[in-house]
Amino acid sequence: MPLNSTSYLLSLFCLLLCLSCKKEQDTQPAEQFYYKSVQVAGQSSSSMSFQNVGANPVISVSFSAPVNRESAASAIQLIQKSTSASVPLNYTVSSGDTLITLTPKSALSSLTAYQFTVQPTLLSQRSTPLNSTISVNLTTSLDNSDKFTRISDSLLLDLVQKQTFAYFWDFGHPVSGMARERNSSGDVVTTGGTGFGIMAILVAVNRNFITRQQALTRLTTLTNFLANNAKRYHGAFPHWLNGATGATIPFSQKDDGADLVETSYLMQGLLTARQYFNSTTSADEIALRKTINALWDGVEWNWFTKNGAETNLYWHWSPTYNWDMNLPIRGWNEALITYVLAASSNTTPISRTVYDNSWAQNGKMVNGNSYYGIKLPLGPAYGGPLFFSQYSFLGINPHDLKDAYADYWQQNTAHTLINYTYCKTNAKQYAGYSQDCWGLTASDQQDGYSARDPTNDNGTIAPTAALSAMPYTPTESMQALRFFYYKLGDRIWKNYGFVDAFNLTNIWFADSFLAIDQGPIIVMIENQRSGLLWKLFMSCPEVKKGMKNLGFQSPNLN
């Protein structure tokens, strides 16, 4: 064959070979670039949310194809959610460039929410963009170091009582001396919270936080305002008042008049103060007792049975809407004190029939079931929010107290232990819940205000719940106090004591303080330490008589 023919055939063969290769290249399938797995500290999460993350987490993301290293720096980001601040990252690429491993350049803050993202601007080595955004939620764990120097339990209790008392003393309304509803309430003062505050003032004198004369001066101002300025309806006060004028501030549209339960909390405090300021020679103390007695005797308790038409005792009455609220005070809840005082009135007492029919519902308030092996005498399943066993028992001593329906020490102790055990068991896996961090009651929460208990729980703990249970569960409550102060103190310990609530699952901490939550902390800690308020309230001769008339038995009624 001639040479030029051989060259021609060789050239033709090479051309065909190139065309064949190009065809194969043109028909190669498009690359799919996606993430295969995300791990934080070696763990995966189907929800792409990770709790209790350490301060220096290792985040690993594997991909379906090798990544373009130059695109990674701008496509990958770790953000602190509350501030939107970007956290600088170190990263390495391995496993044939399909695995990116990242760590923060500096330790993450404790109890903080972060978001880790990988944007579709991340490219493969063939310049294919990531098919979708990767978004991972990280919540760091508690820094378990002490936030304050350790002190004795006794000094810690002193500190908590004193600092919490500042809410009522330093932040009391400058005109009336009454307790503001919350730290943002301005002129809105609360009737029930003021009763709790009055009892807190007595603790403050007893603990030498203030002098007896200072307390007397404040309570004289307060009681004179109640007598001369505050609006009353058949002797009962509204839920809220204007602390400067005494005018009613409606709690809701139809709740614009008397609130008998709030009034009973106020009277509980006033009667306790009357027993404390017992001088027979001090004209000021004699005058204070006279004013308190006039307020006490002025409440028309039996009128709230719809003026005797029923054997039910009603919570509200409105000068505009009359009985439209139509809410009988039925047990079991926080309102036992209302029946005790209504039966103890010198002027308008209710009969035992009203107690049995309206409050006890002729035995329907009895529970008798066991939860976590703990028998609960009264109330709803699991006992309800813990304020049920606290508000009425700021003054009423439940030790050895019994009637036809329950042993009240057993009731309150069981209620508290059920609440504690629920949190300790932590079936819903809320962050923080443990033997150190427990207590469900009514308080602020992230989206408002709610009463919480084991049947209605969203992960929100209120310090007042465990601390105000101190007489019932001294060991468990003290353990919670140490945790709240030493471990969470940098987040929840403020100028008026502990903030109202927190949620470690959502990394939310209230900035609020409420009178009805701060007051029981001071009072119930004192009842555990000295029994002061129990001794004073139970020494009222009217209370002894009224409770006996309702069928109560206790050595404290003799």
Side-chain angles (χ1 to χ4, degrees):
M1 181 181 290
L3 183 61
N4 57 352
S5 296
T6 302
S7 298
Y8 173 77
L9 290 173
L10 185 60
S11 298
L12 182 62
F13 175 77
C14 290
L15 177 62
L16 291 171
L17 183 62
C18 288
L19 287 172
S20 175
C21 290
K22 185 174 187 305
K23 183 176 181 181
E24 285 183 13
Q25 203 171 45
D26 289 344
T27 59
Q28 184 173 345
E31 181 183 57
Q32 296 294 314
F33 186 42
Y34 54 90
Y35 85 91
K36 296 176 71 175
S37 68
V38 177
Q39 290 191 332
V40 177
Q43 302 297 314
S44 301
S45 170
S46 59
S47 65
M48 300 290 272
S49 292
F50 295 84
Q51 302 285 338
N52 294 315
V53 174
N56 296 284
V58 177
I59 305 170
S60 302
V61 188
S62 66
F63 296 91
S64 60
V67 300
N68 179 318
R69 298 188 181 206
E70 287 70 29
S71 68
S74 60
I76 300 175
Q77 198 170 35
L78 181 64
I79 297 290
Q80 184 177 328
K81 286 186 177 181
S82 62
T83 63
S84 298
S86 181
V87 178
L89 296 168
N90 292 315
Y91 69 93
T92 60
V93 183
S94 60
S95 299
D97 289 356
T98 61
L99 179 67
I100 299 181
T101 303
L102 308 104
T103 56
K105 289 187 176 181
S106 57
L108 302 182
S109 300
S110 65
L111 289 178
T112 303
Y114 293 87
Q115 186 170 48
F116 171 76
T117 57
V118 183
Q119 300 293 340
T121 52
L122 180 71
L123 303 177
S124 73
Q125 290 181 2
R126 290 175 55 186
S127 298
T128 304
L130 186 67
N131 69 336
S132 63
T133 300
I134 303 170
S135 182
V136 180
N137 294 309
L138 310 175
T139 302
T140 52
S141 59
L142 170 70
D143 170 13
N144 206 39
S145 64
D146 284 355
K147 308 309 183 297
F148 302 110
T149 302
R150 291 269 171 169
I151 55 179
S152 70
D153 286 351
S154 180
L155 288 176
L156 180 56
L157 291 171
D158 287 345
L159 176 62
V160 170
Q161 287 183 294
K162 186 174 184 178
Q163 195 139 325
T164 308
F165 172 65
Y167 180 87
F168 298 98
W169 193 252
D170 299 342
F171 193 60
H173 194 280
V175 176
S176 64
M178 295 181 70
R180 289 179 168 107
E181 170 72 7
R182 56 174 60 235
N183 58 308
S184 58
S185 290
D187 281 331
V188 179
V189 297
T190 168
T191 295
T194 294
F196 298 170
I198 291 169
M199 301 175 92
I201 288 172
L202 306 182
V203 174
V205 178
N206 194 56
R207 291 284 163 188
N208 297 313
F209 303 156
I210 59 174
T211 67
R212 186 181 184 98
Q213 184 57 49
Q214 285 176 305
L216 181 59
T217 300
R218 173 68 65 89
L219 293 181
T220 298
T221 298
L222 194 158
T223 53
N224 285 341
F225 181 86
L226 291 172
N228 301 321
N229 302 90
K231 183 67 177 176
R232 284 180 279 173
Y233 307 87
H234 295 272
F237 293 88
H239 192 132
W240 286 342
L241 291 161
N242 183 304
T245 68
T248 298
I249 296 176
F251 189 72
S252 64
Q253 180 184 347
K254 293 186 177 182
D255 189 358
D256 64 349
D259 185 316
L260 198 63
V261 174
E262 290 287 311
T263 297
S264 67
Y265 297 147
L266 176 62
M267 292 298 154
Q268 179 178 225
L270 288 172
L271 289 176
T272 305
R274 185 194 72 183
Q275 298 304 101
Y276 187 81
F277 289 98
N278 59 359
S279 171
T280 58
T281 58
S282 166
D284 290 339
E285 293 196 18
I286 292 169
L288 176 66
R289 293 199 301 273
K290 182 178 179 181
T291 304
I292 289 173
N293 281 331
L295 292 166
W296 160 235
D297 289 339
V299 183
E300 299 174 31
W301 299 93
N302 63 5
W303 189 83
F304 287 87
T305 58
K306 294 189 176 178
N307 201 17
E310 296 187 13
T311 55
N312 290 310
L313 192 65
Y314 282 85
W315 201 303
H316 310 94
W317 180 81
S318 162
T320 306
Y321 302 99
N322 292 301
W323 303 104
D324 281 8
M325 292 286 287
N326 200 38
L327 182 63
I329 307 170
R330 301 209 188 283
W332 175 253
N333 57 31
E334 72 274 27
L336 176 63
I337 187 66
T338 307
Y339 282 85
V340 166
L341 291 177
S344 301
S345 172
N346 295 315
T347 54
T348 57
I350 61 165
S351 67
R352 179 170 176 174
T353 301
V354 175
Y355 176 76
D356 290 330
N357 182 70
S358 184
W359 174 249
Q361 302 166 71
N362 297 309
K364 289 183 181 179
M365 72 173 181
V366 170
N367 183 311
N369 295 312
S370 293
Y371 308 89
Y372 307 109
I374 304 164
K375 186 175 181 180
L376 182 69
L378 304 174
Y382 294 89
L386 280 181
F387 72 90
F388 283 10
S389 56
Q390 295 167 0
Y391 289 0
S392 284
F393 297 93
L394 302 186
I396 297 172
N397 185 349
H399 277 287
D400 301 312
L401 181 66
K402 301 175 183 178
D403 72 353
Y405 307 103
D407 176 318
Y408 290 88
W409 185 255
Q410 180 187 350
Q411 165 64 26
N412 293 351
T413 301
H415 181 199
T416 306
L417 285 172
I418 290 166
N419 198 291
Y420 164 79
T421 305
Y422 166 82
C423 293
K424 180 182 175 181
T425 304
N426 195 16
K428 295 184 178 180
Q429 295 298 298
Y430 287 122
Y433 279 32
S434 68
Q435 62 186 6
D436 298 323
C437 185
W438 61 276
L440 307 180
T441 192
S443 73
D444 282 350
Q445 59 184 26
Q446 194 164 6
D447 59 355
Y449 182 92
S450 180
R452 293 174 309 281
D453 62 62
T455 67
N456 176 38
D457 181 23
N458 63 3
T460 301
I461 296 290
T464 188
L467 302 188
S468 301
M470 194 71 72
Y472 312 130
T473 50
T475 299
E476 295 85 353
S477 293
M478 197 68 218
Q479 195 160 333
L481 172 53
R482 295 188 201 104
F483 179 81
F484 296 154
Y485 181 73
Y486 294 117
K487 305 304 182 182
L488 289 180
D490 57 331
R491 300 295 188 97
I492 67 173
W493 178 252
K494 306 294 181 183
N495 54 330
Y496 296 136
F498 292 108
V499 298
D500 200 52
F502 59 89
N503 187 314
L504 297 183
T505 301
N506 297 340
I507 312 298
W508 170 82
F509 302 92
D511 57 7
S512 54
F513 303 88
L514 276 66
I516 57 171
D517 293 337
Q518 301 308 93
I521 293 174
I522 305 165
V523 172
M524 291 302 264
I525 287 176
E526 190 59 37
N527 277 333
Q528 166 60 15
R529 301 182 85 182
S530 71
L532 175 68
L533 295 313
W534 285 340
K535 293 172 185 175
L536 290 168
F537 181 77
M538 298 298 285
S539 72
C540 295
E542 308 99 311
V543 169
K544 293 177 184 289
K545 179 181 178 182
M547 293 188 74
K548 287 178 181 178
N549 287 344
L550 293 181
F552 283 96
Q553 297 177 349
S554 168
N556 298 302
L557 297 177
N558 297 331

